[in-house]
């Protein structure tokens, strides 16, 4: 395989973070056992639970209390309650140990007022006296504390319930706590920056088999009806072809397939329509089906077909007396034997079927530590300077994770660890870094870059700590947006089960027993992505549509000159081994190295005399090649390769075409130039395809008698060859043929052989083309 020079700017870098998983253990906390792929981050936690008997400060005799937690320059504030002397907050504040600039923490209770907030009471704690909590210890029990005035004396009325402790990000309150590094975010925006775990909805393929209709009522009986069936589910609409039976009893036997997600929130709408004219359709009947009653199948056995009444505004399951109605015969099922693809099959993170009844046990555990990022590009402007509010998203299987957002920092440190069950080693985890657009007016979340890691390239039980370059292709060219530091470990629970996976089909059985077409899969994948983005966009905080589409590579199928060149070079790189063998054999035939040629002669004679040694020798040769290359096996997981992608040598006009909308929004002159370039590329491809077709047609013409003299010569040669090979042992024929091919250059001529001359003179069908 061809090796390209590596640009150090875009290269993968091995790192040595202070994590327990790599053998670097700091401190003696047992919390390391649970969070051993990230660096420990020390925090001071303050839980403000509630207060009681707070004194009234307003003229009306009421109290609108809230709490301020102060630690040096940082201040956390709870929401205020109106006219409530016994408020309950139950809010946790987390102050990073790296940012502590004080020796004590102060908790102040105030009364919200229009002009100036009134002081109710306070209490302070020395940080030296704050205890340390180490999970899995139970949470620290909060206690009641008497409030003090500004002089340090206890007030007559008012108590507050608090709990203070020191801990790490392993604490269970960490994800939902208020963080000091997000102090600039208002209370209404805190929920948008917290880390969360999301689960994609379970997706099903809904198969609607339209069989036939009966007793349709046609308004215009003077013409044969042109009937078709339209099926709508949500924003998906499919329709059958116009029935070839032009009567009131049309038939189709056609399958329509949809993507649906649990829970099933919308009904399935079936309408039978008549094509009255080119722009007008008449509805002949309508039926609504609720999917909760649709049978689920796990294999290729068809479910029973049913007749349904066709009426206007009729919901299946309701009791309604009907004397006469048109009917439709359908077979509807939820196919649980398929895997609903929402990712490309080339780098999918899951291949399991929809139905859990068909799932097999897991083979291992994948652990990911999102440690930090460095040198991130500024994505927006704040106070005349660039800023980035970065967070990470990782997807593996149906589980998505989102780290907390680090505010205004181009070198954020997350140090968050997540775990997934692994059911197939030949899967890929995708990690993306994004800029939170909600903090600047609710804009879109900008994509900073992403990383893919294939599990099959990882050694089991080994911790990989690397800094991955975040590479993005922009209209101006390829750009490095920063680096993200990750720690990855793939642990195997059953090594035999994992090895057995390599012999199993990649996709579930139904994909091979009852396959879907490539076009169908593309359409269904697009619908699946839309459903996933809609459902996860309704979570809190929402996982935005642009994030999901970037992680799932929505536009990967769009034409690109750069990708076409890259894929062509990939083919040439793969064929490089075959070409190298051909060159080596040509050197053997021309005696460039006489000793090697003599050894090949000896090996050839042995294999001809003992043909049973051919395959053992071949496999033994491959074995030794594999052992020889083991010492040069990759030490690092693969990552985005700009040279392989042709991202470093692509032209500006090609990038402009790649980033254009579909359909195009460019002017006619530019589109004409692109069309001419595409015609040029297509012309070269057309020539190569024509040459291949010509060689194939020459083979066909050997016995087609299109050229009677050539076919007669070939038939006579076949007869003579058959007689000779009947009377001559095969080993002698093989030896003579081999010695002829390996003959010395002095016995060769520069003129092509008789067989080559004969083949090139055979007629093809090129002369018949216009």
């Amino acid at each position: 395989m061809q090796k390209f020079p590596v640009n150090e700017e875009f290269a993968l870098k091995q790192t040595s973070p202070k994590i327990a998983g790599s053998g670097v253990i700091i401190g003696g906390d047992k919390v390391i056992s649970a969070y051993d792929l990230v660096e420990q981050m020390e925090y001071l936690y303050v839980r403000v639970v509630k207060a009681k008997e707070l004194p009234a400060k307003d003229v009306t005799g009421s109290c609108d209390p809230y709490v301020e937690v102060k630690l040096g320059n940082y201040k956390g504030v709870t929401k205020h309650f109106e006219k409530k002397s016994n408020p309950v907050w139950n809010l946790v504040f987390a102050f990073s140990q790296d940012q502590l600039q004080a020796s004590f923490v102060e908790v102040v209770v105030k009364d919200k007022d229009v002009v100036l907030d009134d002081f109710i009471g306070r209490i302070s704690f020395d940080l030296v006296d704050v205890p340390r909590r180490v999970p899995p210890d139970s949470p620290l029990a909060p206690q009641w504390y008497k409030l003090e005035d500004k002089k340090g004396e206890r007030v007559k009325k008012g108590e507050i319930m608090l709990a203070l402790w020191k801990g790490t990000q392993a604490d269970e309150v960490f994800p939902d706590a208020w963080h000091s590094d997000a102090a600039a975010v208002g209370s209404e925006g805190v929920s948008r920056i917290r880390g969360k775990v999301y689960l994609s909805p379970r997706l099903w393929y809904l198969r609607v088999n339209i069989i036939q209709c009966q007793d349709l009522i046609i308004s215009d009986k003077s013409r044969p009806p042109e009937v078709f069936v339209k099926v709508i589910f949500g924003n998906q609409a499919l329709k059958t072809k116009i029935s070839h039976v032009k009567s009131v009893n049309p038939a189709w036997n056609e399958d329509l397939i949809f993507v649906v997600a649990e829970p099933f929130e919308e009904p399935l709408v079936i309408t039978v329509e008549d094509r009255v004219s080119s722009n007008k359709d008449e509805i002949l009947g309508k039926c609504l089906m609720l999917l909760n009653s649709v049978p689920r199948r796990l294999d290729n056995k068809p479910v029973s077909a049913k007749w349904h009444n066709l009426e206007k505004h009729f919901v299946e399951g309701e009791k309604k007396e009907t004397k006469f109605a048109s009917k439709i015969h359908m077979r509807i099922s939820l196919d649980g034997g398929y895997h609903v693809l929402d990712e490309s099959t080339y780098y999918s993170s899951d291949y399991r079927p929809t139905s859990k009844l068909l799932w097999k046990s897991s083979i291992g555990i994948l652990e990911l530590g999102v440690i930090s990022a460095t040198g991130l590009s500024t994505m927006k402007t704040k106070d005349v300077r660039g800023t980035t509010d970065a967070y990470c998203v990782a997807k593996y299987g149906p589980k998505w994770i989102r780290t907390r957002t680090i505010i205004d920092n181009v070198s954020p440190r997350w140090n968050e660890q997540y775990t997934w069950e692994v059911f197939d080693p030949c899967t890929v985890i995708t990690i993306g870094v994004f800029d939170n657009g909600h903090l600047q007016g609710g804009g879109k979340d900008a994509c900073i870059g992403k990383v893919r890691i294939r599990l099959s390239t990882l050694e089991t039980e080994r911790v990989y700590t690397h800094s991955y370059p975040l590479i993005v292709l922009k209209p101006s060219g390829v750009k490095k947006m920063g680096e993200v530091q990750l720690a990855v470990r793939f642990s195997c629970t059953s090594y035999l089960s994992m090895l057995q996976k390599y012999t199993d089909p990649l996709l579930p059985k139904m994909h091979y027993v009852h396959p879907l077409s490539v076009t169908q899969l593309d359409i269904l994948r697009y619908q699946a992505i839309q459903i996933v983005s809609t459902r996860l966009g309704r979570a809190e905080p929402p996982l935005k549509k642009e994030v999901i589409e970037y992680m799932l590579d929505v536009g990967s199928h769009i034409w690109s000159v750069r990708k076409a060149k890259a894929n062509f070079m990939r083919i040439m790189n793969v064929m490089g081994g075959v070409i190298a063998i051909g060159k080596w054999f040509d050197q053997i035939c021309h005696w460039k190295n006489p000793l090697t040629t003599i050894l090949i002669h000896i090996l050839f004679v042995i294999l001809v005399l003992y043909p049973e040694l051919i395959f053992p020798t071949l496999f033994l040769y491959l074995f030794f090649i594999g052992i020889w290359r083991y010492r040069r096996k990759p030490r690092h997981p693969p990552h985005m390769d700009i040279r392989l992608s042709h991202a470093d040598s692509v032209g500006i006009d090609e990038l402009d075409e790649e980033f254009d909308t579909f359909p195009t929004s460019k002017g006619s002159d530019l589109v004409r130039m692109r069309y001419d370039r595409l015609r040029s590329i297509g012309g070269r491809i057309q020539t190569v395809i024509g040459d291949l077709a010509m060689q194939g047609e020459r083979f066909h013409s050997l016995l087609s008698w299109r050229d009677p003299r050539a076919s007669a010569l070939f038939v006579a040669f076949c007869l003579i060859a058959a007689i000779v090979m009947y009377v001559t042992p095969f080993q002698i024929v093989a030896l003579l043929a081999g010695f002829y091919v390996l003959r010395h250059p002095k016995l060769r001529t520069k003129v092509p052989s008789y067989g080559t001359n004969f083949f090139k003179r055979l007629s093809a069908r090129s002369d018949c083309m216009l």
Side-chain angles (χ1 to χ4, degrees):
M1 301 289 286
Q2 186 177 354
K3 296 292 184 181
F4 297 111
V6 179
N7 189 332
E8 290 299 326
E9 180 186 2
F10 301 98
L12 187 70
K13 301 173 185 174
Q14 189 163 5
T15 58
S16 300
K18 297 178 180 178
I19 62 176
S22 61
V24 183
I25 300 178
I26 51 174
D29 287 351
K30 57 184 177 180
V31 71
I32 312 175
S33 61
Y35 269 60
D36 62 343
L37 295 185
V38 293
E39 298 174 342
Q40 284 197 67
M41 299 177 69
E42 301 292 333
Y43 285 90
L44 171 68
Y45 292 99
V46 180
R47 181 193 290 273
V48 179
V49 183
K50 56 185 176 180
K52 67 179 181 179
E53 299 178 358
L54 296 179
K57 293 292 182 179
D58 294 344
V59 180
T60 58
S62 62
C63 177
D64 305 327
Y66 70 92
V67 176
E68 289 182 352
V69 181
K70 299 179 180 179
L71 184 62
N73 296 330
Y74 294 96
K75 179 176 69 174
V77 182
T78 68
K79 66 177 182 180
H80 78 279
F81 291 97
E82 293 186 0
K83 299 180 181 180
K84 200 167 187 180
S85 58
N86 298 303
V88 178
W89 293 283
N90 198 22
L91 183 62
V92 178
F93 297 87
F95 297 89
S96 176
Q97 192 89 2
D98 298 338
Q99 301 168 344
L100 297 185
Q101 300 174 349
S103 59
F104 65 93
V105 59
E106 185 179 24
V107 181
V108 182
V109 183
K110 291 186 176 182
D111 176 45
K112 189 76 173 177
D113 212 337
V114 178
V115 181
L116 182 65
D117 297 345
D118 297 321
F119 175 85
I120 296 178
R122 69 179 181 88
I123 188 163
S124 61
F125 300 89
D126 198 327
L127 295 184
V128 178
D129 299 328
V130 175
R132 181 172 183 79
R133 174 179 176 257
V134 180
D137 290 352
S138 297
L140 200 66
Q143 300 180 28
W144 286 104
Y145 294 92
K146 289 278 189 180
L147 295 176
E148 301 174 350
D149 57 19
K150 293 182 179 179
K151 298 179 181 180
E153 298 178 357
R154 291 186 178 180
V155 297
K156 294 181 180 179
K157 293 178 63 179
E159 294 182 52
I160 187 169
M161 179 180 282
L162 302 171
L164 290 84
W165 70 94
K166 293 178 181 177
T168 66
Q169 73 269 34
D171 203 296
E172 62 269 14
V173 301
F174 177 79
D176 294 324
W178 175 94
H179 293 273
S180 57
D181 53 10
V185 181
S187 58
E188 68 282 352
V190 170
S191 63
R192 297 296 183 113
I193 65 172
R194 286 174 173 162
K196 292 293 180 183
V197 174
Y198 305 83
L199 288 177
S200 296
R202 191 191 298 186
L203 302 176
W204 295 77
Y205 283 149
L206 173 67
R207 186 183 297 271
V208 182
N209 177 228
I210 309 294
I211 303 173
Q212 60 181 337
C213 285
Q214 203 173 70
D215 301 329
L216 296 179
I217 302 175
I218 309 296
S219 58
D220 185 4
K221 299 182 179 180
S222 62
R223 61 172 184 84
E226 297 183 354
V227 183
F228 64 92
V229 178
K230 181 189 290 184
V231 184
I232 301 174
F233 183 83
N235 60 353
Q236 304 175 65
L238 296 174
K239 58 184 180 180
T240 65
K241 298 176 183 177
I242 294 176
S243 175
H244 62 280
V245 180
K246 310 293 184 180
S247 69
V248 295
N249 300 312
W252 295 273
N253 197 20
E254 191 172 332
D255 279 351
L256 304 177
I257 301 178
F258 300 82
V259 179
V260 298
E262 290 183 347
F264 306 122
E265 299 175 344
E266 297 173 328
L268 184 70
V269 182
I270 301 105
T271 58
V272 181
E273 302 183 20
D274 180 21
R275 179 65 50 84
V276 178
S277 62
S278 59
N279 56 0
K280 183 181 178 182
D281 298 326
E282 178 189 357
I283 298 178
L284 305 179
K286 189 175 186 179
C287 178
L288 272 69
M289 295 283 297
L290 300 178
L291 296 188
N292 292 325
S293 59
V294 172
R296 306 182 181 192
R297 65 171 186 166
L298 308 180
D299 49 26
N300 200 32
K301 296 179 181 178
V303 299
S304 57
K306 294 182 179 180
W307 287 96
H308 303 271
N309 290 335
L310 285 173
E311 289 192 14
K312 302 241 176 118
H313 312 296
F314 174 70
V315 180
E316 190 75 7
E318 289 184 358
K319 293 183 178 179
K320 190 172 182 180
E321 294 182 3
T322 306
K323 294 182 179 179
F324 175 82
S326 303
K327 293 181 180 294
I328 184 170
H329 197 203
M330 296 184 297
R331 182 181 286 111
I332 304 177
S333 64
L334 289 165
D335 291 356
Y338 291 95
H339 170 70
V340 181
L341 294 166
D342 58 352
E343 301 168 288
S344 171
T345 52
Y346 303 124
Y347 35 81
S348 180
S349 62
D350 191 14
Y351 296 108
R352 291 174 294 168
T354 298
S355 176
K356 287 187 175 181
L357 299 175
L358 300 176
W359 289 7
K360 297 180 180 179
S361 58
S362 63
I363 62 166
I365 297 293
L366 173 65
E367 297 168 276
L368 172 69
V370 184
I371 300 175
S372 62
T374 55
L376 296 182
S377 300
T378 55
M379 305 303 293
K380 50 182 177 278
T381 304
K382 179 181 179 182
D383 300 333
V384 200
R385 63 181 180 85
T387 181
T388 298
D389 305 321
Y391 68 91
C392 277
V393 173
K395 181 195 185 297
Y396 185 77
K399 180 179 176 180
W400 301 67
I401 66 96
R402 169 180 173 155
T403 67
R404 70 190 189 282
T405 302
I406 305 298
I407 306 300
D408 194 12
N409 196 336
V410 295
S411 298
R413 294 174 62 229
W414 293 286
N415 284 303
E416 298 183 24
Q417 184 170 337
Y418 300 93
T419 304
W420 288 266
E421 277 189 300
V422 177
F423 294 86
D424 194 320
C426 302
T427 46
V428 175
I429 181 174
T430 305
I431 304 102
V433 182
F434 301 89
D435 175 67
N436 197 325
H438 177 78
L439 304 177
Q440 295 288 332
K444 289 187 174 182
D445 290 1
C447 309
I448 300 177
K450 65 182 172 186
V451 175
R452 295 193 196 100
I453 303 175
R454 185 171 290 275
L455 269 61
S456 58
T457 63
L458 305 178
E459 297 179 10
T460 55
E461 311 301 335
R462 176 184 168 186
V463 176
Y464 291 84
T465 54
H466 292 89
S467 184
Y468 292 83
L470 297 170
I471 305 171
V472 173
L473 194 63
K474 293 181 172 291
S476 57
V478 65
K479 182 180 179 181
K480 179 180 176 182
M481 305 291 287
E483 296 182 359
V484 59
Q485 187 177 359
L486 305 173
V488 183
R489 178 171 58 207
F490 173 38
S491 304
C492 179
T493 54
S494 175
Y495 201 78
L496 289 177
S497 298
M498 182 178 67
L499 294 180
Q500 184 186 354
K501 278 292 179 182
Y502 282 87
T503 63
D504 291 345
L506 186 65
L507 293 170
K509 183 179 177 181
M510 280 290 289
H511 284 270
Y512 307 98
V513 175
H514 199 167
L516 304 173
S517 67
V518 176
T519 305
Q520 271 183 313
L521 288 174
D522 285 340
I523 296 172
L524 294 172
R525 181 186 170 221
Y526 174 77
Q527 297 295 343
I529 292 173
Q530 298 306 309
I531 292 174
V532 171
S533 60
T534 301
R535 290 288 180 92
L536 298 186
R538 286 154 49 181
E540 186 62 35
L543 206 55
K544 293 189 177 179
K545 181 178 181 180
E546 60 269 19
V547 173
I548 295 172
E549 291 184 347
Y550 181 69
M551 294 286 288
L552 298 179
D553 269 351
V554 169
S556 59
H557 63 286
I558 301 296
W559 161 259
S560 163
V561 175
R562 175 189 62 84
K563 291 180 182 178
K565 289 180 178 178
N567 289 329
F568 176 76
M569 291 307 298
R570 287 171 63 194
I571 293 174
M572 296 304 297
N573 198 19
V574 170
M575 295 298 294
V578 179
I579 296 172
I581 292 174
K583 290 180 178 179
W584 171 81
F585 187 72
D586 184 67
Q587 292 176 356
I588 295 297
C589 294
H590 287 82
W591 293 68
K592 298 293 184 181
N593 189 337
L595 179 61
T596 305
T597 305
I598 291 172
L599 292 175
I600 292 297
H601 275 77
I602 297 172
L603 177 62
F604 174 70
V605 171
I606 294 174
L607 293 179
V608 169
L609 296 178
Y610 302 97
E612 64 274 10
L613 298 179
I614 293 177
F615 284 106
T617 304
L618 175 63
F619 288 121
L620 188 63
Y621 175 69
L622 295 176
F623 168 77
F624 281 119
I625 290 179
I627 295 299
W628 176 257
R629 291 187 177 181
Y630 177 78
R631 60 190 180 88
R632 291 186 296 174
K633 69 174 183 176
R635 302 295 177 183
H636 311 297
H639 67 293
M640 301 290 185
D641 191 336
I642 62 168
R643 186 67 191 89
L644 181 69
S645 308
H646 266 248
D648 59 341
S649 59
V650 64
I652 297 298
D653 56 335
E654 294 176 359
L655 285 173
D656 185 55
E657 179 184 12
E658 185 169 342
F659 284 94
D660 193 7
T661 57
F662 187 85
T664 182
S665 57
K666 300 296 182 180
S668 57
D669 293 339
L670 186 59
V671 174
R672 185 181 296 111
M673 183 273 291
R674 291 176 181 173
Y675 176 65
D676 291 339
R677 181 176 60 197
L678 191 60
R679 287 178 66 189
S680 175
I681 297 172
R684 280 175 272 177
I685 297 173
Q686 170 185 290
T687 303
V688 174
I689 294 175
D691 289 341
L692 293 174
M694 184 170 61
Q695 308 307 326
E697 288 171 350
R698 283 174 174 171
F699 273 108
H700 280 283
S701 67
L702 287 172
L703 295 173
S704 66
W705 295 90
R706 189 164 182 259
D707 184 343
R709 286 169 292 278
S711 294
L713 284 172
F714 180 71
V715 169
F717 170 77
C718 291
L719 177 62
I720 295 171
I723 295 172
V724 170
M725 296 188 73
Y726 269 122
V727 299
T728 309
F730 176 75
Q731 283 89 346
I732 295 177
V733 176
L735 284 172
L736 292 175
F739 287 145
Y740 175 77
V741 172
L742 297 172
R743 67 192 183 278
H744 196 274
K746 290 183 178 181
L747 303 177
R748 297 175 182 271
T749 65
K750 293 185 178 181
V751 180
S753 63
Y754 296 132
T756 304
N757 295 332
F758 177 75
F759 182 75
K760 287 187 176 180
R761 288 179 176 276
L762 291 173
S763 63
R765 299 181 62 84
S766 303
D767 53 338
C768 298
M769 290 189 63
L770 293 175

